[in-house]
């Protein structure tokens, strides 16, 4: 950030009065431009015991398999965002069955939230951001080609819970040391 | 938003190629400025069966009672944000006992997350944004002077769960029709 989105003048980094963190502050109109984490919402879509994954048609991680998920938009709920992303990426309509995983990813300022979901009619396809979608039995999950650490973690948790048929809500975080290569 | 924070030129609202929503786009450098919901993180801090509330020293809802909560910052986790807000507003150190409520508030582009928490040593006070903090037994909660709908809902859920001693994770939303007065 270099310029004030309110008045167009340059911003500087400083600690505003009454605050204890550096913020972007406009040198002219004094507007403080806060920056906050974003939510990525998605689903674990299930049909007849199999899990629906999408193969990414976009970077990063082009060609890798992912759970349908994406940035939550303004004016929607996390449930709506998760269902929308599933519709957009996998062309699948789902019932949301419950919150499943919340994974903080602080080094990239994101919080990932996955809901358990059921395909309504077994229909699915490849949205614009997907090369293909496919149902995988638990033993077929392509572990060597999973897109992101939060997807891997959610799938690992889900398969473990699938055996016990107890689906709790899992809160965790994924951290990477500064400078360490990350695939997130 | 009127100006591009990257180059300082004006922005316009339009639907970028491959998108389906209006975004702020720079007329000069073409940067797309996405806007996304913010997370408000807080706790339900408990000490010897009583709940710690803070009376707000800032607008909105000056003088009303609230659970300690505030905007999550970049580079922290939701757990860290909840504990930090409790430290800042109630001068209390807590152990986080588990995720408790997630309440989407789509008309103001926020997601509120409250964690169950236990005071570590029973110490608390009034931070800069609080007039005072006080422990309330369940039957003492000042229902007529509660700050926000998400705080009220979380307290209602918590007291109901307190009777059964079963604390699940509660996902819900609070919506207000457009134009309807809101106290959120």
């Amino acid at each position: 950030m270099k310029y004030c989105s309110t008045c167009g003048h340059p911003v500087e980094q400083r600690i505003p009065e009454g605050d204890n963190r550096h913020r972007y502050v406009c040198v002219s109109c004094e507007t403080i431009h806060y920056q906050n984490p974003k939510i990525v919402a998605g689903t674990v879509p299930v049909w007849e015991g199999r899990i629906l994954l999408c193969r990414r048609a976009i970077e990063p991680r082009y060609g890798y398999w992912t759970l349908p998920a994406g940035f939550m938009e303004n004016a929607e709920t996390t449930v709506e965002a998760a269902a929308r992303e599933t519709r957009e990426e996998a062309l699948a309509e789902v019932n949301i069955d419950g919150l499943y995983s919340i994974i903080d990813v602080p080094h990239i300022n994101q919080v990932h939230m996955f809901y358990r979901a059921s395909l309504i009619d077994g229909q699915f396809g490849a949205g614009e951001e997907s090369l293909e979608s496919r149902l995988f039995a638990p033993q077929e999950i392509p572990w060597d080609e999973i897109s992101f650490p939060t997807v891997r973690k959610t799938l690992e948790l889900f398969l473990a819970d699938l055996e016990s048929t107890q689906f709790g809500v899992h809160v965790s975080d994924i951290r990477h040391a500064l400078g360490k290569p990350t695939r997130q």
Side-chain angles (χ1 to χ4, degrees), chain A:
Chain A
M1 180 178 294
K2 292 181 181 173
Y3 297 92
C4 176
S5 57
T6 303
C7 76
H9 284 83
V11 294
E12 63 180 7
Q13 283 213 52
R14 62 177 166 87
I15 300 175
E17 195 183 323
D19 201 341
N20 53 20
R21 288 170 190 254
H22 279 87
R23 313 283 184 186
Y24 289 105
V25 183
C26 178
V27 299
S28 174
C29 76
E30 300 267 315
T31 297
I32 303 167
H33 298 281
Y34 296 96
Q35 297 187 305
N36 303 90
K38 289 181 169 48
I39 294 172
V40 170
T43 62
V44 185
V46 175
W47 178 254
E48 295 178 346
R50 292 182 294 169
I51 298 167
L52 186 64
L53 299 180
C54 306
R55 204 153 68 85
R56 289 172 62 82
I58 53 172
E59 295 291 351
R61 305 294 281 167
Y62 179 99
Y64 284 72
W65 292 93
T66 190
L67 290 165
F71 287 111
M72 182 182 178
E73 300 276 4
N74 277 351
E76 68 183 359
T77 66
T78 51
V79 166
E80 290 166 349
R84 175 182 54 72
E85 289 290 344
T86 309
R87 190 179 304 117
E88 289 178 0
E89 297 186 359
L91 306 184
E93 295 296 328
V94 291
N95 285 322
I96 299 293
D97 299 324
L99 180 61
Y100 188 64
S101 67
I102 297 186
I103 307 175
D104 291 290
V105 199
H107 64 287
I108 54 170
N109 307 318
Q110 292 180 6
V111 178
H112 291 212
M113 296 177 59
F114 288 94
Y115 282 88
R116 291 183 292 114
S118 308
L119 296 198
I120 287 176
D121 55 11
Q123 299 292 305
F124 60 89
E128 286 190 9
E129 297 183 2
S130 304
L131 298 169
E132 61 176 315
S133 295
R134 200 190 299 175
L135 290 168
F136 291 89
Q139 66 275 17
E140 298 170 339
I141 301 288
W143 292 112
D144 291 341
E145 302 167 47
I146 296 297
S147 58
F148 301 113
T150 58
V151 171
R152 176 180 300 276
K153 187 158 197 166
T154 298
L155 285 171
E156 288 171 349
L157 290 165
F158 192 81
L159 294 194
D161 285 355
L162 204 57
E163 290 187 14
S164 68
T165 70
Q166 296 281 334
F167 295 96
V169 179
H170 300 270
V171 179
S172 62
D173 56 66
I174 291 178
R175 297 165 191 265
H176 291 279
L178 280 174
K180 187 179 169 187
T182 167
R183 300 190 303 175
Q184 184 69 45

